[in-house]
């Protein structure tokens, strides 16, 4: 379908983009890879008057190492993140998740920052970055600020990014040597997860020394299964021990009901997938 | 009839070669014109305003704002054209008293499904037409909608209050009455006392054909003929019906189906959009174009299947079936479309499948609802029937505690019994179920997989294994005009071909079938090349334009090769007969001494001869022809077969079921099909692969779901789950060969075989994997949730939650949603 008419801006710096956002306010919309925005425009669910394309801002692309963190530029396409050796070494959970996101074409166009800013609770990247405790760098008229993953996801399609702000990069603390697994439950290959579990663990001397578990599509935002993480700490990575911890995964969650499964089914899936993800992450 | 697994390939013959498809170069590289690519001088663009409600009275339409919008040429409503728009045709009234609502292209005062057209915009660009469509203000009074098929059958809420009922037609067949078998009630009564009665109710969910190319129409009224390009399967039928409905002379209409990107029955239709664009072009005197969006296609292009099947199978204690009774409810949706009513009737002849049932009864009630109208979808009636009976045969085996093949062998028609007249009154000409089954079991590794299944069961493996059997047959190659007539079908089933011998030795073959991805150009070239003894490359297949291929009945029902291909053979044979006297004259011999072989006319017993191309050139020059012989070799033929044909095969599927999650995974799929002689093995593989996946998709993924208000919830490919290559496995396929006896090529249709066969094989396998847990059915599509619920013993089968997950929410971060209306 054909979107309503709009004006198109393609700034080449973050400052210019922020200035444009400030100028047009509510009437403007940021375009990253367009993989979520364009369907919205084409189905005429939204009709912004101005589109601000971030595609020409080189500074927003790329992946680098910065001390204890890996820094991923917001405009880095999924396909680049999925193949990046730094990410694989220090934040393997992200590599695991991103290769299962959508299909090849969408991974080439869609961006890391765009997906996180879109904040679809079924999106595959929220749970891993939440589990890894990432920091979100956000630029606005009064400079940049940093928001912790715990505070970034506000609600369904809603984040801490303000109306006149742009997500510029995501700083992921290094989890070097941690085992990781993203267990995505789908009916067909190229589908948003019905439920997915992002698990990463540090195994030391036969026990789980630290564990991080993020959950996709178990509520209106990505969630962290803290009780599972705690219960796993100090346990051996055995089916028996992990099963007990994983049984708590869905406690207190209110997952959605839809064509692919109702809420209670999702809760059940979360426990099974948590067990499987943790065991796989621990190499068991 | 011999069953062989390999046909010795004769390297001098084209038939049997796995030729790469000659049309693929242009189709794959896009060096062709689809309807939407066609641009004409002064062409205007059309956009539709569609009803968001399933059932509502239109109380007012304010089109003034839209009319005033930039570059809008006109806006019309149903009321504006009520007198001239006509009604969409129903070509198959299945009973004399069938009730069918008037089917106006544009709704006039009431809408009867969500997606129905209520107003039409014509503008100078497609974008402006779309913009203006958002500006039409329609007031509706919402009416209660008839949505659930079973409730609709009870007339609780009427889809069309003026008709007084939702029941459209009741069609029955009874073998005792027809004299083709015994009394089914007696068989059931007897089985209740001393035999086995299996009673089941199965659901055929609603499906969407989901062809790749959306439907598109361009109409050019400038010139003597009004030309319509349409992405259709049926250009000839469309031309006839445009004339019949509008009163425009048939000779003044030209329909062109250029390259068409798939149909699967979904383009076996005359559409509101075709009639609207035809009307607009005539009214405005300018070319107009309409191309639907994918959302419109999913919502308003016809749907398929949607039945409830109540089945009663009676058998004796040994598993010999004594009778089968079928009670169907079939959801027609809002209208009785082109052949929609006839689709379940096509299944009437197939519930008895490959078996020798002594008594059979089929009753079908077609029902109107306030949902998108249904019609043919790949297999049309036969997948439904095959699913029903093949599920039942597995249930009978389970009841008896025997292997599913035991009950099949006990009941099937044996190879020596062909030709065999079935309890439904059809004569199966050829087949060999034993041979196909033996080969399929071998390909599958049946015994090994059974052993693995037992081992997993014994060890309590969380991943259980199930094996599903489907020994299908079908009737296809539509087909005998007399039979179609006896079923009150509105047309015949013949097919036409012309062969034109060009002076340069090239050959043009005109066919009345209208391919839309099947590979006709390749297969038909192989046939013509062999018959005429010319090179494959020298044959050009022309089709899809009623001014070129002037006569035909188009493509559906696996008919193109078995009916259309045979017409080509007959036309080619006439060419040869016409060439013989000319050859004799030029070779100074008697016609009786002329032999034709491998493209050469020669004088028996000599080395004298002329190639067919030389005769073609001599005929073109016409300088030296025998007296009284017309200077043309070109020939026409129209072929009407005396029978359908009956492909069959044994399909075996192994499914793994993760009992912890309900996830199902295909482990192995093997099939041995008997489709008679094969013209091009590569094309056959392609048809089978695609067909299998489409049938598997019904078992596992696809379902059109409406919510309580009658809105299509699975309205995009996010929620209407189509498989891709990533969701399929390698299929192990082979063939046995029992040539058809009713066409000289010995071919049987293959276009629908895979789809018909695979669905029950998959569901049987899933049920088989969990039967030991007390499960004997899971409703399609067998979603992980349904499987898991069945394992938990909660609401077995279960309805799909009528809600879609929003991935494209308008409430964007930091943004208010703006004024764009959600049309
Ligand atoms: C068919 C299909 C299947 C998909 N399957 C999956 C899947 O399985 N898993 C999954 O996780 N995702 C899936 N996606 C979504 C995909 O990940 C998108 O790439 C992602 O959601 C959006 O990224 P984008 O770069 O395309 O952003 P866009 O579509 O350009 O933007 C999305 C939203 O974020 C805003 N935005 C973008 N960048 C910024 C920024 N730097 N600062 C502030 N706001 C910004 C935009 O204004 C817009 O509102 C799928 C998409 C499609 C079309």
């Amino acid at each position: 379908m054909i979107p309503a008419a709009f004006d198109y801006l393609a700034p080449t710096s973050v400052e210019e983009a922020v200035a444009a956002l400030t100028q047009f306010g509510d009437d403007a919309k940021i375009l990253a890879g367009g993989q979520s925005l364009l369907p919205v425009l084409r189905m005429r669910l939204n009709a912004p008057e101005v589109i601000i394309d971030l595609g020409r801002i080189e500074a927003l692309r790329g992946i680098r190492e910065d001390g204890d963190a890996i820094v991923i530029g917001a405009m880095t396409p999924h396909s680049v993140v999925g193949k990046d050796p730094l990410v694989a070494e220090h934040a393997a959970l992200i590599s695991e998740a991103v290769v299962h996101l959508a299909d090849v074409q969408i991974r080439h166009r869609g961006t890391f920052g765009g997906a996180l800013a879109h904040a679809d609770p079924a999106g595959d990247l929220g749970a891993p970055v939440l589990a890894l405790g990432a920091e979100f760098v956000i630029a606005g008229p009064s400079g940049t600020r940093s928001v912790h993953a715990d505070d970034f996801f506000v609600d369904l399609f809603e984040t801490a990014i303000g109306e006149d702000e742009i997500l510029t990069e995501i700083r992921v603390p290094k989890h070097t040597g941690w085992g990781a697994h993203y267990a995505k439950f789908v009916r067909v290959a190229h589908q948003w997860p019905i439920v997915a579990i992002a698990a990463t663990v540090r195994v030391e001397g036969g026990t789980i020394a630290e564990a991080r578990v993020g959950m996709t599509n178990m509520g209106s935002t990505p969630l962290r299964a803290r009780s599972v993480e705690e219960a796993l700490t100090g346990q051996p990575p055995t089916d028996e021990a992990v099963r007990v911890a994983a049984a708590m995964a869905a406690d207190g969650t209110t997952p959605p009901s839809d064509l692919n499964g109702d809420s209670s089914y999702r809760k059940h899936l979360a426990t099974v997938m948590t067990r499987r993800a943790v065991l796989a992450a621990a190499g068991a | 009839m011999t069953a062989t697994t390999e046909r010795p390939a004769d390297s001098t013959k084209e038939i049997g070669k796995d030729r790469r498809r000659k049309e693929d170069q242009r189709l794959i590289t896009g060096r062709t014109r689809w309807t939407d690519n066609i641009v004409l001088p002064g062409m205007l663009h059309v956009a539709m305003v569609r009803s968001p409600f399933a059932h509502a009275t239109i109380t007012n339409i304010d089109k003034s704002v839209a009319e005033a919008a930039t570059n809008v040429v006109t806006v019309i409503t149903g009321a504006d054209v009520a007198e001239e728009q006509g009604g969409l045709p129903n070509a198959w009234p299945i009973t004399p008293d069938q009730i069918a609502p008037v089917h106006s292209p544009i709704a006039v005062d009431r809408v009867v499904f969500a997606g129905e057209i209520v107003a039409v915009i014509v503008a100078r660009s497609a974008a402006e037409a779309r913009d203006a469509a958002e500006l039409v203000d329609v007031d509706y009074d919402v009416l209660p909608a008839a949505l659930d098929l079973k409730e609709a059958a009870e007339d609780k809420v009427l889809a069309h209050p003026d008709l007084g009922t939702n029941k459209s037609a009741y069609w029955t067949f009874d073998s005792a009455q027809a004299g083709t078998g015994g009394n089914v009630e007696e068989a059931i009564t007897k089985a209740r006392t001393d035999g086995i009665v299996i009673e089941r109710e199965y659901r055929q969910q609603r499906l969407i054909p989901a062809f790749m190319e959306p439907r598109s129409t361009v109409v050019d009224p400038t010139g003597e003929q009004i030309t319509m390009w349409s992405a259709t399967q049926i250009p000839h039928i469309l031309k006839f019906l445009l004339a019949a409905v509008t009163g425009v002379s048939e000779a003044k209409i030209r329909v062109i189906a250029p390259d068409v990107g798939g149909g699967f029955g979904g383009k076996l239709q005359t559409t509101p959009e075709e009639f609207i664009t035809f009307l607009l072009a005539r009214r405005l005197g300018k070319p107009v174009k309409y191309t639907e969006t994918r959302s419109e296609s999913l919502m308003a292009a016809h749907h398929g299947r949607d039945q409830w099947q109540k089945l009663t199978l009676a058998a004796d204690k040994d598993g010999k079936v004594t009778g089968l009774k079928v009670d169907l409810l079939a959801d027609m949706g809002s209208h009785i479309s082109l052949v929609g009513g006839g689709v379940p009737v096509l299944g009437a002849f197939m519930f008895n499948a490959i078996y020798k049932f002594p008594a059979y009864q089929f009753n079908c009630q077609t029902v109107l609802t306030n949902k998108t109208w249904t019609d043919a979808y790949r297999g049309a009636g036969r997948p439904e029937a095959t699913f029903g009976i093949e599920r039942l045969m597995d249930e009978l085996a389970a009841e008896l505690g025997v292997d599913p093949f035991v009950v099949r062998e006990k009941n099937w028609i044996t190879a020596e019994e062909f030709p065999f007249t079935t309890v439904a009154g059809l004569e199966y000409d050829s087949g060999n179920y034993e041979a196909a089954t033996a080969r399929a079991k071998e390909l599958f590794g049946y015994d090994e997989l059974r052993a693995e299944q037992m081992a997993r069961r014994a060890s309590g493996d969380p991943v259980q294994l199930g094996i599903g059997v489907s020994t299908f047959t079908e009737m296809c190659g539509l087909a005998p005009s007399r039979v179609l007539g006896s079923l009150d079908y509105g047309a015949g089933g013949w097919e036409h071909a012309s062969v034109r011998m060009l002076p340069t030795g090239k050959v043009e073959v005109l066919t009345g079938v209208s391919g839309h991805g099947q590979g006709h150009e390749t297969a038909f070239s192989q046939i013509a090349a062999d018959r005429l003894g010319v090179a494959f490359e020298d044959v050009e297949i022309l089709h899809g334009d009623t001014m070129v291929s002037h006569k035909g009945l188009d493509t559906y029902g696996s008919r193109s090769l078995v009916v259309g291909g045979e017409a080509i053979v007959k036309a080619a044979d006439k060419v040869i007969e016409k060439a013989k006297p000319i050859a004799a004259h030029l070779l100074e011999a008697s016609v009786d001494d002329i032999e034709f072989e491998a493209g050469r006319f020669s004088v028996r017993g000599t080395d004298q001869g002329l190639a067919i191309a030389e005769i073609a050139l001599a005929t073109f020059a016409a300088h030296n022809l025998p007296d009284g012989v017309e200077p043309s070799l070109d020939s026409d033929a129209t072929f009407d077969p005396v029978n359908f044909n009956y492909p069959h095969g044994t399909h075996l599927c192994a499914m793994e079921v993760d009992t912890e999650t309900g996830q199902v995974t295909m482990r192995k799929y093997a099939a041995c099909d008997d489709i008679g002689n094969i013209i091009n093995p590569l094309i056959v593989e392609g048809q089978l692969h695609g067909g299998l996946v489409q049938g598997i998709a019904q078992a596992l993924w696809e379902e059109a779901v409406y919510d309580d208000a009658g809105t299509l919830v699975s309205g995009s490919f996010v929620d209407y789950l189509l498989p891709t290559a990533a969701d399929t496995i390698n299929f192990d396929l082979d063939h046995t060969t029992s040539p058809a006896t009713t066409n000289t090529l010995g071919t049987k249709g293959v276009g629908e075989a895979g789809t018909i066969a695979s669905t029950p094989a998959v569901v049987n396998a899933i049920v088989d994997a969990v039967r030991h847990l007390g499960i004997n059915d899971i409703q399609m599509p067998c979603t992980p949730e349904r499987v898991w619920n069945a394992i938990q013993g909660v609401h077995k089968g279960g309805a799909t939650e009528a809600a879609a997950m929003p991935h494209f929410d308008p409430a964007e971060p930091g943004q208010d949603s703006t004024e764009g209306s959600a049309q």
Side-chain angles (χ1 to χ4, degrees):
Chain A
M1 201 162 131
I2 305 165
F6 53 79
D7 286 332
Y8 173 82
L9 299 178
T12 51
S13 72
V14 174
E15 294 69 32
E16 259 182 83
V18 170
L21 257 187
T22 313
Q23 186 189 342
F24 295 104
D26 240 13
D27 296 333
K29 205 91 189 75
I30 295 283
L31 173 68
Q35 298 306 294
S36 295
L37 183 60
L38 289 193
V40 169
L41 301 187
R42 290 167 67 94
M43 292 189 282
R44 297 203 179 211
L45 296 170
N46 198 344
E49 276 162 32
V50 182
I51 293 288
I52 302 168
D53 185 352
L54 303 185
R56 301 210 185 141
I57 308 177
E58 276 311 312
L60 293 180
R61 264 176 226 278
I63 297 165
R64 63 193 158 86
E65 207 170 357
D66 184 7
D68 288 342
I70 296 298
V71 184
I72 303 175
M75 288 296 288
T76 313
H78 303 311
S79 55
V80 172
V81 176
K83 285 197 290 262
D84 189 82
L86 283 175
V87 177
E89 188 181 348
H90 303 295
L93 189 54
I94 291 175
S95 314
E96 286 273 325
V98 82
V99 296
H100 295 294
L101 184 154
D103 59 33
V104 177
Q105 286 101 319
I106 291 166
R107 290 199 291 270
H108 277 293
R109 306 266 346 160
T111 66
F112 197 72
L116 291 166
H118 187 57
D120 181 344
D124 283 305
L125 301 180
V129 297
L130 184 67
L132 294 172
E135 292 280 333
F136 290 75
V137 182
I138 298 169
S142 47
T144 62
R145 63 189 179 107
S146 182
V147 177
H148 191 266
D150 290 342
D151 305 316
F152 181 77
F153 300 103
V154 177
D155 203 348
L156 199 73
F157 303 107
E158 203 183 325
T159 68
I161 306 171
E163 240 171 56
D164 50 2
E165 291 183 316
I166 290 170
L167 174 63
T168 57
E169 55 190 34
I170 296 91
R171 301 176 65 89
V172 185
K174 284 184 183 169
H175 284 67
T176 320
W178 289 50
H181 188 75
Y182 188 68
K184 180 169 174 172
F185 193 84
V186 286
R187 290 174 56 202
V188 294
H190 304 138
Q191 196 188 6
W192 275 275
I194 297 171
V195 165
I197 302 295
T200 189
V201 297
R202 189 166 61 80
V203 180
E204 218 179 71
T207 53
I208 298 173
E210 285 183 277
R212 299 282 178 273
V213 178
M215 302 193 287
T216 309
N217 217 6
M218 287 297 290
S220 56
T221 65
L223 298 175
R224 222 168 119 176
R226 287 186 196 274
S227 50
V228 177
E229 294 175 2
E230 277 161 31
L232 285 171
T233 310
Q235 295 293 323
T238 61
D239 186 275
E240 220 174 22
V242 174
R243 189 179 288 267
V244 173
M248 294 178 243
D251 294 356
T253 60
T254 50
S257 289
D258 66 17
L259 294 175
N260 291 309
D262 69 11
S263 188
S264 61
Y265 176 60
R266 280 194 163 82
K267 286 187 158 192
H268 165 74
L269 282 181
T271 63
V272 178
M273 301 314 279
T274 299
R275 186 181 85 236
R276 293 181 182 178
V278 170
L279 286 171
Chain B
M1 214 128 314
T2 52
T4 53
T5 53
E6 290 267 313
R7 259 166 44 82
D10 178 345
S11 63
T12 65
K13 293 282 183 214
E14 276 297 333
I15 290 180
K17 264 192 200 160
D18 62 345
R19 279 272 182 198
R20 299 299 176 268
R21 305 199 331 172
K22 51 160 77 169
E23 51 270 72
D24 280 354
Q25 169 95 33
R26 73 168 195 276
L27 294 179
I28 291 170
T29 60
R31 290 175 70 90
T32 181
R33 284 209 179 85
W34 312 98
T35 302
D36 190 54
N37 297 131
I38 289 161
V39 175
L40 300 175
M43 188 174 78
L44 301 173
H45 297 263
V46 175
M48 306 296 177
V49 179
R50 294 178 185 271
S51 166
F53 301 110
H55 195 190
T57 310
I58 301 168
T59 54
N60 186 48
I61 300 181
D62 180 356
K63 53 181 188 173
S64 57
V65 183
E67 277 172 331
T70 313
N71 278 330
V72 168
V73 175
T74 188
V75 179
I76 59 166
T77 65
D80 295 337
V81 292
E83 297 309 313
E84 62 183 291
Q85 67 171 338
L88 296 179
N90 164 230
W92 194 349
I94 55 172
T95 60
D97 57 354
Q98 170 183 284
I99 289 177
V102 173
H103 195 171
S104 305
I106 311 176
V108 179
D109 43 28
R110 200 163 46 87
V111 291
V112 290
F113 75 96
E116 190 169 9
I117 297 165
V118 292
V120 180
I121 316 284
V122 185
R124 294 196 197 286
S125 74
E128 287 160 330
R130 193 65 247 161
D131 285 345
E134 310 285 323
L135 302 173
V136 177
D137 196 4
V138 187
D139 294 333
Y140 297 96
D141 266 354
V142 176
L143 298 168
L147 298 169
D148 180 77
L149 171 55
K150 283 185 181 173
E151 281 174 25
E154 292 167 16
D155 283 340
K156 283 187 180 154
V157 173
L158 295 181
H160 297 267
D162 51 320
L163 299 178
T165 179
N166 295 325
K167 298 193 190 101
S168 172
Y170 189 68
W171 195 95
T172 63
F173 174 88
D174 183 274
S175 63
Q177 269 172 32
T180 52
N183 182 310
V184 85
E185 298 297 351
E186 281 170 16
I188 293 168
T189 309
K190 180 161 163 32
R192 281 196 203 285
T193 56
D194 63 5
I196 297 166
V197 178
I198 309 272
E199 291 176 282
R200 294 285 187 276
E201 187 171 28
Y202 293 134
R203 171 83 177 131
Q204 284 284 327
Q205 78 270 35
R206 185 174 269 254
L207 300 175
I208 303 180
F211 32 74
M212 194 177 287
E213 181 202 14
R215 298 171 310 157
S216 179
T217 311
V218 173
V219 185
D220 183 3
T222 54
E224 195 49 43
Q225 274 77 27
I226 304 171
T227 303
M228 174 183 283
W229 286 261
S230 182
T232 180
Q233 295 175 224
I234 51 164
H236 296 91
I237 294 174
L238 175 57
K239 172 181 165 168
F240 168 79
L241 290 173
L242 281 172
V245 170
T246 64
V248 174
S249 162
E250 200 181 340
K252 298 285 188 197
I253 301 173
R254 174 185 188 186
V255 174
I256 303 173
D259 276 327
V260 174
F264 310 118
K267 291 173 182 165
L268 165 48
Q269 194 59 263
T270 56
T271 68
E273 293 84 357
E274 285 164 342
F275 280 92
I276 291 168
T277 46
F278 192 76
L279 180 152
L280 289 170
R282 290 179 68 208
R283 249 194 179 203
L284 300 168
K286 291 203 166 174
V288 298
K289 177 194 281 184
Y290 169 75
T291 300
E292 69 184 353
T293 66
R294 182 60 69 182
S295 309
E296 287 180 295
S297 190
L298 292 173
M299 187 165 57
H302 78 240
H303 293 177
R305 312 267 148 79
D306 205 339
Q307 294 182 351
W308 277 108
Q309 312 177 319
K310 243 182 159 157
L311 308 169
T312 311
L313 185 80
D316 68 18
K317 281 231 151 33
D318 298 329
K320 190 126 179 77
V321 175
T322 54
L324 172 66
K325 185 177 172 194
V326 177
D327 286 296
L328 288 192
L329 282 181
D331 193 334
M332 300 286 99
S334 62
H335 294 97
I336 309 301
S337 54
L338 190 62
V339 295
V343 168
V345 171
L346 281 174
F349 303 94
M350 280 294 122
F351 272 94
N352 53 297
I354 64 169
Y355 308 111
K356 294 178 284 188
F357 295 162
Y360 172 57
Q361 190 185 76
F362 173 93
N363 310 308
C364 173
Q365 177 69 58
T366 58
V367 181
L368 291 156
T369 59
N370 294 115
K371 292 179 288 187
T372 303
W373 27 298
T374 61
D375 205 311
Y377 174 51
R378 201 169 189 173
R382 293 151 288 158
E384 296 91 316
T386 304
F387 179 84
I389 188 58
E390 289 305 295
R391 286 284 296 111
L392 281 185
M393 293 307 275
D394 264 30
E395 293 300 304
L396 177 61
E399 180 75 25
L400 289 163
V402 299
D403 185 279
F405 279 111
V406 171
V407 290
R408 284 175 170 82
E409 280 164 20
K410 208 164 253 166
N411 288 287
W412 72 30
I413 302 157
T414 61
E416 310 79 59
E417 290 172 308
F418 287 92
F420 183 89
T421 301
T422 73
V423 74
L426 293 178
E427 190 191 273
Y428 293 179
D429 60 339
S430 67
N432 188 331
Y433 308 140
E434 296 91 332
T437 297
R439 180 69 185 127
K441 283 172 96 168
E442 191 184 345
L443 279 173
F444 189 66
Y446 190 78
D447 297 336
E448 293 84 339
L449 281 165
R450 279 281 179 223
E452 183 184 333
Q453 176 184 37
M454 288 303 124
R456 286 195 192 209
R457 224 169 251 192
S459 71
D461 193 325
V463 180
Q464 287 290 313
L465 184 68
I467 294 170
V469 177
S470 169
T471 46
F472 90 105
T473 188
E474 62 138 335
M475 57 191 272
C476 69
L478 302 182
S481 299
R482 280 189 191 171
V483 178
L484 295 178
S486 73
L487 293 172
D488 304 307
Y489 182 72
W494 47 262
E495 197 44 78
H496 181 261
S498 296
V499 175
R500 297 180 188 155
M501 297 302 300
L502 304 185
T504 52
K506 308 289 177 191
V507 182
E508 288 176 343
V509 176
L510 279 53
T511 171
V513 300
S514 194
H516 41 281
Q518 290 85 347
H520 292 172
E521 290 168 41
T522 304
F524 291 177
S525 295
Q526 290 176 271
I527 294 170
D530 267 5
R531 210 73 188 183
L532 296 168
V534 298
F536 170 78
E537 294 76 14
D538 286 347
V539 182
E540 198 69 24
I541 306 294
L542 304 175
H543 62 92
D545 179 344
T546 61
M547 211 173 257
V548 175
S549 150
H550 58 284
K551 196 173 164 177
L553 284 170
D554 308 317
T555 287
Y556 42 83
S558 302
R559 69 188 302 276
S560 297
L561 172 62
V562 295
V563 191
E566 188 68 12
I568 293 172
V569 168
K570 298 230 169 327
D573 287 351
K574 285 187 188 173
V575 168
I576 294 161
E577 286 315 305
K578 281 174 93 171
K580 273 187 183 161
I582 299 172
H585 177 76
L586 295 174
L587 292 163
E588 295 175 350
S590 149
V591 177
D592 299 336
D593 290 334
I594 297 294
E595 288 176 334
F596 179 71
E597 218 202 304
R600 217 178 145 72
F601 294 89
S602 48
V603 183
R604 188 170 295 126
T606 75
D607 58 1
Q608 280 194 325
L610 287 167
I612 191 165
E614 293 175 283
I615 309 282
L617 183 61
T619 308
F620 170 75
H623 296 165
N624 181 19
L625 298 183
D627 291 343
V629 166
E630 66 166 326
S632 171
L633 298 178
D634 299 353
S635 298
D636 281 20
T638 304
F639 173 65
D640 195 349
V642 296
N643 196 350
F644 298 100
N645 63 74
Y646 304 96
H648 71 81
T650 296
H651 288 234
L652 289 164
C653 174
M655 295 293 295
E656 291 182 347
V657 176
D658 180 344
T659 57
E660 287 188 324
T661 62
Q663 184 67 282
V664 295
T665 312
M666 191 171 287
R667 164 78 175 278
K668 195 167 176 75
Y669 197 104
C672 179
D673 287 295
D674 191 330
I675 54 162
N677 293 333
I678 291 174
I679 305 299
N680 182 322
L682 189 69
I683 292 178
V684 163
E685 293 277 289
Q687 287 292 319
L688 280 171
H689 282 210
L692 289 173
V693 174
Q694 225 155 1
I696 293 165
Q698 177 175 11
L700 299 181
W701 298 304
E702 296 184 31
E703 182 175 25
V705 180
Y706 285 86
D707 68 12
D708 293 344
T711 307
L712 181 67
V713 174
S714 48
S716 84
F717 286 149
V718 171
D719 298 298
Y720 190 82
L721 287 194
L722 288 183
T724 65
D727 299 298
T728 59
I729 64 168
N730 274 323
F731 303 124
D732 297 296
L733 304 180
D734 203 355
H735 301 279
T736 50
T737 306
S738 311
T741 62
T742 54
N743 66 66
T744 60
L745 294 168
T747 58
K748 302 179 182 180
V750 71
E752 296 160 297
T755 310
I756 293 168
S758 61
T759 311
V762 176
V763 178
N764 277 339
I766 294 170
V767 172
D768 186 52
V770 291
R771 194 183 287 282
H772 64 294
L773 304 174
I775 294 164
N776 67 19
D777 190 31
I778 293 169
Q779 194 174 307
M780 295 190 291
C782 300
T783 65
E785 183 185 36
R786 283 181 176 163
V787 174
W788 190 73
N789 279 340
I791 294 169
Q792 303 313 302
V794 283
H795 50 91
K796 297 207 165 142
T800 303
E801 289 274 340
M805 173 66 66
H807 297 289
F808 303 115
D809 196 278
E812 300 285 3
Q815 296 279 347
D816 293 334
S817 75
T818 57
E819 59 278 1
S821 77
Q823 213 256 280

